[in-house]
């Protein structure tokens, strides 16, 4: 089973690229952000727990997100692989994630970091906000808070995977096809 962590700041294009990778490699796309947003729309207990955090550009609590992922891995042990988009977001989550996977005889094969400059991220998210209906995509202040939170709490996860020799960075600028080709060359390199 191939397990990929697709990583980068909000607005870098993880969701777009993950959907394409899913098609190319026949593996699942696991978007914790989308799972959480669905729970918020449904008004579930989980959704209510994290709604306030998200509206202010903060991360959902580790234990909530880790629980979602543990349930997912348990239910999908027989799939060809997974692209984890939006998880892990903290070093604590990464350590827990390794434990979850290890308990099933699995591991993270690679973390692919999509590198995009901050001003481009803000521009992309504001543009997306015109169609997404997401409150956290419509305010430049909230967007910059999300990016600052990412840099402070999430970017350090790259160090965690780098220390394991599982980190690869790709340039996230260019056409969707150019970025996709860069990501695929990393994945194809694993399969040799």
């Amino acid at each position: 089973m191939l397990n990929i962590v697709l990583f980068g700041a909000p607005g870098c294009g993880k969701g777009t690229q993950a959907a394409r990778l899913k098609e190319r490699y026949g593996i699942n796309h696991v978007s914790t952000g989308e799972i959480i947003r669905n729970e918020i729309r449904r008004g579930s207990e989980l959704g209510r727990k994290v709604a306030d955090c998200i509206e202010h550009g903060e991360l959902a609590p580790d234990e909530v997100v880790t629980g979602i992922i543990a349930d997912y891995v348990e239910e999908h042990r027989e799939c060809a692989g997974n692209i984890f988009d939006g998880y892990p977001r903290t070093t604590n989550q990464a350590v827990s994630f390794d434990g979850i996977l290890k308990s099933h005889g699995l591991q993270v094969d690679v973390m692919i970091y999509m590198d995009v400059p901050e001003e481009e991220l803000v521009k992309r998210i504001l543009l997306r906000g015109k169609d997404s209906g997401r409150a956290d995509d419509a305010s430049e202040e909230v967007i910059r808070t999300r990016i600052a939170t990412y840099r402070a709490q999430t970017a350090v996860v790259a160090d965690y995977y780098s220390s394991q020799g599982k980190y690869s960075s790709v340039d996230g600028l260019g056409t969707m096809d150019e970025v996709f080709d860069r990501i695929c060359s990393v994945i194809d390199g694993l399969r040799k």
Side-chain angles (χ1 to χ4, degrees):
M1 178 186 294
L2 181 64
N3 288 300
I4 301 164
V5 173
L6 194 56
F7 201 71
C12 73
K14 294 183 300 291
T16 299
Q17 294 299 339
R20 297 180 77 188
L21 293 167
K22 175 183 176 179
E23 289 297 316
R24 177 159 182 171
Y25 295 101
I27 57 181
N28 296 331
H29 173 207
V30 186
S31 169
T32 53
E34 192 56 38
I35 292 167
I36 290 170
R37 284 188 292 275
N38 286 339
E39 294 299 315
I40 291 169
R41 281 191 288 272
R42 286 186 27 220
S44 72
E45 183 180 342
L46 168 64
R48 290 189 303 273
K49 279 184 182 178
V50 298
D52 191 53
C53 295
I54 292 173
E55 286 174 13
H56 292 93
E58 300 166 3
L59 296 178
D62 282 356
E63 64 277 0
V64 172
V65 182
T66 298
I68 291 169
I69 295 298
D71 290 347
Y72 174 84
V73 172
E74 176 66 31
E75 294 168 8
H76 295 85
R77 290 179 295 178
E78 304 303 321
C79 68
N82 301 288
I83 304 157
F84 291 92
D85 161 11
Y87 186 85
R89 287 193 171 182
T90 66
T91 303
N92 287 342
Q93 286 180 5
V95 170
S96 295
F97 188 40
D98 278 357
I100 291 164
L101 291 174
K102 188 176 182 179
S103 72
H104 295 288
L106 305 171
Q107 67 174 1
V108 169
D109 294 290
V110 67
M111 170 203 250
I112 301 173
Y113 172 68
M114 296 174 60
D115 188 15
V116 178
E118 183 169 336
E119 291 309 311
E120 177 66 17
L121 295 169
V122 172
K123 185 172 88 176
R124 288 180 183 183
I125 296 170
L126 286 171
L127 186 62
R128 177 176 77 189
K130 292 178 180 178
D131 297 322
S132 73
R134 289 175 47 185
D136 62 336
D137 282 352
S139 163
E140 184 170 341
E141 181 181 341
V142 171
I143 292 166
R144 290 195 185 276
T145 298
R146 287 169 61 198
I147 294 169
T149 299
Y150 163 80
R151 298 226 190 277
Q153 298 178 20
T154 305
V156 296
V157 177
D159 296 335
Y160 177 81
Y161 286 109
S162 183
S163 72
Q164 296 179 12
K166 297 179 178 180
Y167 172 83
S168 186
S169 178
V170 298
D171 183 354
L173 292 176
T175 67
M176 282 192 289
D177 288 342
E178 289 168 340
V179 175
F180 183 69
D181 289 345
R182 291 176 198 133
I183 295 169
C184 289
S185 63
V186 171
I187 295 168
D188 292 343
L190 295 172
R191 306 179 121 199
K192 290 181 180 175

